[in-house]
Amino acid sequence: MSSFTSPFLAPYRALREPGALRRDFLASLVVFLVALPLCVGVAVASGVPAELGLVTGIVGGLIVGFLPGSALQVSGPAAGLTVLVFEAVKEFGLGMLGAIVLLTGALQIALGLLRCGRWFRAISVSVVQGMLAGIGLVLILGQLYTMAGAEQPRSGIEKITGLPGLLVDTLGDTTALTAAAVGFGTIAVLVVWPKLPPSARLVPAPLAAVALATAVTAGLRLDVANVTVRGLVDAIQPPGLGDLAELGSVAVLGTVLAFTLIASAESLFSAAAVDRMHDGPRTHYDKELVAQGVGNTVCGVLGALPMTAVIVRSSANVQAGARTPLSRILHGAWLLLFAVLLPAALGIIPLAALAGVLVHAGCKLIPVKDIVPLARAHRGEAVVLATTAIAIVVTNMFEGVVIGLVLAVVKSAWDTSHVNVDVRELTGGRLVVTLTGNATFLRLPRILETLEAMPKDRPIELDLTVVRHLDHACRTTLENWALRHNDSGTEAVRMKTLPVAGSVADPPADPLADSRAEESAKARTRR
């Protein structure tokens, strides 16, 4: 037992507790049953062979499961990357997918070794929620077509505008109507399942829904499309030299950056959520990022789907009583055994049932319960969330996330640029304008609006000594205003500022110093 003091074996220390090994074993079976339909469904929705989803799940268990980082979260193909993978496969081809995932993994490893894991936690929560909401909307829109046996339009706008036509075509086609009924029946099971007694809920909802849909389809001999099975070995297509050579193109690099950003952010946000669910070892974010990078590198070599840590499987793992990484490792072993021994079982699963599972998953990605309270408490954050989601639907994943990040940075800069302009009149008619807060170029319109409304025939003093921050653009603009504001014959505007190295020499700190010196000189003359 002393071997558990090794840093590598430390996460397994809990196995010394009575019953821990049994709990991990049972938890691995639960995670396997949750992961199986999701691995297949995500692969089919991504436009790749179903077996490649299982390959990614196997790598997430048998390779990432052994690596340090987060002890209890489970990795595999995620619904959050489905849209991006689908777009990448359509644009670059299935052969390029492995090369893109390979480079994504290498970037994640580099970022982890450079200790950048913690910085992914600095991404605005509103951007992440907006990203997931946008993914959920695109996923729902796309899978509605799959449920009816129709081909998905390429863009989000086309998916929205095509819905009326899809409805008309489905109602007029018996085969499409049957497939849609199977899909909506699967969604109904997923919605009702959590409300059943605990004894019935021992079977995970996704597995139960897909199993029931498969049984009904087979029992009634319904004419619906099923999953195409190629075999695990045949589905694996490592990237060739030509694919690797294409990694230098701008379009491919943009996709790689989007994969890296989204996969890393989703994994590390999932780790933070999982840490709140248990009292075991906390996540080491840099190590977890390296682990995800290693997993994606292996997936890239195998030509499989990209992986992230998945909150659905991770929460199932924790709730099933897992205490060590052994549960997630074993879940990968069960997936491997299933893929090797029972691959033909995939061929009887209706595509509409998997589409229903993903529509339900897409709905769960949209933070409906959080939007209204967020809008009431932080309207700007709600705008960032909604804008990111809409941008993803209208454009694509990468551009939508970039728009969300830029908007979040602009909002933050605007929020921190609070400045107050106070005007008061002294005895003798002198006006004193005092600026407090952070005077930046973002607030120049408001500042200049007040200053340009000041009379030009009265003495004015501009006091900047209590400003917390004064950027170069603001300082230069205010100096130019002071030089040109007052009419000729009127005392020039005086600026009271703190000295800045390399700036125009400031006048004396005391605005009355010149007049007192002049009066003193006159007194000495009289004497």
Side-chain angles (χ1 to χ4, degrees):
M1 290 299 179
S2 60
S3 60
F4 285 112
T5 58
S6 165
F8 182 78
L9 295 177
Y12 301 90
R13 197 175 298 155
L15 288 176
R16 294 180 297 184
E17 301 174 5
L21 181 60
R22 174 178 170 274
R23 285 196 296 270
D24 274 10
F25 180 83
L26 294 177
S28 71
L29 291 174
V30 171
V31 177
F32 160 69
L33 295 175
V34 172
L36 179 61
L38 292 177
C39 287
V40 177
V42 169
V44 172
S46 301
V48 305
E51 292 86 349
L52 291 183
L54 293 175
V55 171
T56 301
I58 292 166
V59 173
L62 295 182
I63 294 180
V64 178
F66 276 104
L67 299 177
S70 176
L72 297 182
Q73 76 171 355
V74 184
S75 299
L81 285 173
T82 301
V83 177
L84 192 57
V85 174
F86 183 81
E87 293 176 354
V89 171
K90 268 204 165 185
E91 184 172 356
F92 307 115
L94 182 58
M96 275 298 297
L97 178 62
I100 291 172
V101 176
L102 175 61
L103 184 54
T104 297
L107 281 178
Q108 286 182 306
I109 293 173
L111 290 172
L113 294 177
L114 292 173
R115 307 179 69 82
C116 296
R118 69 195 72 181
W119 292 107
F120 278 90
R121 301 171 69 189
I123 297 176
S124 169
V125 175
S126 297
V127 174
V128 175
Q129 288 183 322
M131 175 190 73
L132 295 176
I135 292 169
L137 289 172
V138 176
L139 194 59
I140 293 168
L141 293 171
Q143 293 306 303
L144 287 175
Y145 287 86
T146 303
M147 282 173 55
E151 184 178 353
Q152 293 187 32
R154 186 174 180 83
S155 70
I157 295 296
E158 291 173 345
K159 290 174 182 175
I160 295 173
T161 56
L163 287 178
L166 176 67
L167 179 60
V168 172
D169 293 343
T170 302
L171 293 177
D173 186 336
T174 304
T175 302
L177 195 59
T178 301
V182 172
F184 282 110
T186 303
I187 296 173
V189 172
L190 290 168
V191 172
V192 172
W193 201 257
K195 302 176 182 178
L196 297 179
S199 57
R201 286 187 276 121
L202 291 176
V203 179
L207 181 68
V210 171
L212 287 173
T214 302
V216 170
T217 302
L220 299 179
R221 296 184 180 180
L222 300 179
D223 183 17
V224 296
N226 293 340
V227 176
T228 302
V229 180
R230 296 174 51 185
L232 193 63
V233 177
D234 294 334
I236 295 175
Q237 297 182 1
L241 294 177
D243 298 322
L244 297 175
E246 291 293 326
L247 288 175
S249 70
V250 175
V252 173
L253 288 176
T255 301
V256 169
L257 290 176
F259 270 60
T260 304
L261 172 64
I262 296 168
S264 302
E266 188 169 344
S267 294
L268 298 183
F269 272 98
S270 172
V274 172
D275 280 351
R276 291 194 291 268
M277 298 172 64
H278 67 89
D279 56 0
R282 305 292 93 181
T283 297
H284 190 294
Y285 287 90
D286 296 322
K287 292 181 180 179
E288 179 62 21
L289 190 54
V290 171
Q292 294 295 323
V294 171
N296 274 317
T297 301
V298 175
C299 287
V301 171
L302 298 174
L305 289 172
M307 74 165 55
T308 72
V310 187
I311 189 62
V312 175
R313 294 167 217 173
S314 302
S315 60
N317 189 38
V318 175
Q319 292 167 4
R323 298 287 292 162
T324 75
L326 181 62
S327 61
R328 62 183 188 175
I329 296 170
L330 288 176
H331 118 275
W334 307 142
L335 287 174
L336 177 60
L337 287 174
F338 177 87
V340 172
L341 300 178
L342 297 170
L346 298 177
I348 64 174
I349 299 176
L351 286 175
L354 295 177
V357 171
L358 290 172
V359 167
H360 183 261
C363 292
K364 293 174 70 174
L365 289 174
I366 303 173
V368 177
K369 295 181 180 179
D370 299 331
I371 291 176
V372 174
L374 183 65
R376 289 174 179 170
H378 305 283
R379 187 174 300 174
E381 296 292 338
V383 171
V384 172
L385 189 157
T387 302
T388 304
I390 294 171
I392 288 174
V393 174
V394 173
T395 59
N396 56 52
M397 177 70 64
F398 181 69
E399 292 178 10
V401 171
V402 169
I403 290 171
L405 289 172
V406 170
L407 185 60
V409 170
V410 170
K411 175 192 171 295
S412 179
W414 184 262
D415 289 343
T416 57
S417 295
H418 290 299
V419 64
N420 294 318
V421 184
D422 178 62
V423 180
R424 68 183 189 278
E425 184 174 356
L426 300 180
T427 304
R430 178 182 294 276
L431 296 174
V432 178
V433 182
T434 304
L435 267 62
T436 57
N438 299 303
T440 69
F441 70 95
L442 293 173
R443 298 294 184 173
L444 268 178
R446 178 189 173 190
I447 296 172
L448 289 176
E449 183 180 353
T450 301
L451 294 179
E452 289 171 353
M454 303 290 292
K456 298 185 177 183
D457 57 353
R458 296 176 62 179
I460 298 175
E461 173 190 330
L462 182 59
D463 185 1
L464 305 176
T465 58
V466 291
V467 173
R468 287 196 299 271
H469 174 70
L470 179 68
D471 69 10
H472 177 71
C474 198
R475 173 185 284 269
T476 302
T477 303
L478 294 179
E479 288 175 348
N480 291 335
W481 171 84
L483 290 174
R484 295 177 174 82
H485 180 74
N486 276 5
D487 295 331
S488 58
T490 305
E491 181 182 339
V493 174
R494 297 185 179 186
M495 288 184 63
K496 183 180 179 183
T497 67
L498 295 176
V500 176
S503 66
V504 178
D506 292 315
D510 185 351
L512 303 180
D514 290 340
S515 60
R516 282 203 296 266
E518 185 179 347
E519 291 174 1
S520 177
K522 290 179 180 179
R524 286 196 299 271
T525 302
R526 286 195 296 271
R527 288 198 297 269

